[in-house]
Amino acid sequence: MAHILLAVFVLCLASVSLVGAFIPTAGGGIRIPESSRIFMATEEGDGNGTGGTGSLQQQPPPSEVMASGPKANSSSTATRRRRSSASSLGRRRPAKSTSTAGRRRTQAPAPGQYAVATKRAPHQFDHTKDKARPFVDGKTEIADQKCNEDAPAFPLPEGAAPGQDGDVISHEHIQSMSLDELFPGLSFSDMFASSTEFRAALRAAMREDIFDTTPAYAKMSEKARKMLLLPDSSLQGSWKCKDGRWERKGSTNPEKDAGTDSDHRMKKLTQVLSKYLGAGAPTGDDFCDVIGSLCGSNPSTHWIDIVGVQDRRIPHSWHQDTGRSPNGDTKTVLLGFPPEDGHNSVGVFSHCVKLERERFASDDHPVSEPIVYPSLEIEEKYIIRPNFSKGGELICYRDVDVLHSSPDVAWRASVMRFI
């Protein structure tokens, strides 16, 4: 009789222990107590033990992951046995894994998807984001910067980059001009300087018209079009309208599109100019071609709307775009778009350094590649930060007369470059 009572007593203790290993949750699931959980990753999950049909509902902290393993103590072994015998409670057994305990299994990406790193780069653990990528207030930073338009010419060191020197430069290196000079009688400069709405509409319309008539963009999806036309992205194409090599998407008459008939290329820009400047406003085609004519007798007709790095201080990167000036009169023209109305300061245009002598690219240097001066350090006294103001919306220069760089601190909506 005593033996029977002892057996019953042992069975009762085992039942209590088994029930205590699983705690029902409010949602009808089962939670394993903190002392009994074991990290587990499943083949159907995301590699972190959270997405598969056989994964646990809660994950242990990393210390528990490292502590668990096939050589765990006897209590851990008992816990695994109890979990294995709990199929009657509706839990599915996870697929067997040959990986060592504590190692997360990763899934191969599905077709058409990219593998994504699950760990951050080591340097991100070492310092805060603010120190890794110092942000600045552009408006505050440029407040102490000076135009320095009377800077002396810079004697370019021998061997700074491939190329050859030309004549000593005696003419003005950088010229400033206004929209009123190009399109008189319209108060163009006043409208451009005082209306954020006008500048934004002009810029957006010009970008759309150039995008929609550039053959290289013709096969892009509507989604790609929307992304490339976002105002914080740069965009390039050709500024030339009359007799230009542009083509409207889906056109069956490219010659008509190219300006040999009454059809215009810059349709949206024409509407914007007419709305804000009145009946005497230039067409969008005339606007582009007149500014482009400042590029000289043999331009490449390349155009780009540059946003650049904003709200950060960056080092200057001195270069020339081509190191050439065909016929001696070919120039780069910049049209600035300030960040606010009434802007009269630096931060919009590229920074420049006047050269003592013309600097030409080597004959074998590709026309489409810039000439860079990666190791060139230039004293502050030589650096010009061209000023943007009402009446000074554009600047131009020959690429052989100056070195130039993105601003060390940019404060602008964008700058359009015509070459």
Side-chain angles (χ1 to χ4, degrees), residues 99-125:
S99 61
T100 60
R103 180 179 297 173
R104 297 182 176 184
R105 300 187 64 185
T106 56
Q107 291 288 94
Q113 297 182 355
Y114 295 97
V116 179
T118 57
K119 294 184 179 181
R120 292 181 296 172
H123 74 271
Q124 292 178 306
F125 289 105

Side-chain angles (χ1 to χ4, degrees), residues 207-362:
R207 287 165 61 94
E208 282 194 61
D209 284 335
I210 289 180
F211 183 95
D212 291 337
T213 55
T214 298
Y217 300 138
K219 294 183 180 181
M220 288 191 176
S221 66
E222 182 61 24
K223 182 177 180 179
R225 178 181 183 274
K226 289 180 178 179
M227 291 181 65
L228 288 173
L229 290 176
L230 289 173
D232 60 350
S233 66
S234 297
L235 184 74
Q236 60 183 323
S238 170
W239 54 259
K240 191 171 181 60
C241 295
K242 185 177 181 180
D243 300 325
R245 291 177 293 179
W246 57 272
E247 181 179 330
R248 200 171 304 284
K249 187 176 181 179
S251 172
T252 57
N253 192 346
E255 289 187 0
K256 179 180 179 181
D257 285 345
T260 57
D261 207 306
S262 59
D263 190 49
H264 293 291
R265 177 190 186 189
M266 312 296 287
K267 294 181 178 295
K268 293 183 175 66
L269 181 57
T270 296
Q271 294 173 0
V272 169
L273 293 172
S274 178
K275 175 182 177 181
Y276 287 91
L277 299 178
T283 65
D285 291 39
D286 288 340
F287 177 80
C288 292
D289 284 342
V290 168
I291 294 178
S293 68
L294 300 175
C295 293
S297 60
N298 191 15
S300 70
T301 78
H302 183 263
W303 168 92
I304 184 171
D305 184 33
I306 305 169
V307 176
V309 177
Q310 301 284 334
D311 299 324
R312 286 181 61 193
R313 180 178 287 276
I314 61 175
H316 283 114
S317 179
W318 301 111
H319 63 280
Q320 295 170 280
D321 288 325
T322 63
R324 294 174 171 86
S325 180
N327 300 332
D329 65 352
T330 303
K331 297 180 179 180
T332 296
V333 179
L334 302 181
L335 170 63
F337 285 78
E340 58 184 1
D341 293 340
H343 186 80
N344 185 0
S345 188
V346 301
V348 176
F349 296 121
S350 299
H351 292 176
C352 300
V353 171
K354 304 179 197 176
L355 295 177
E356 282 188 343
R357 307 180 72 93
E358 298 170 322
R359 184 65 178 182
F360 293 95
S362 303

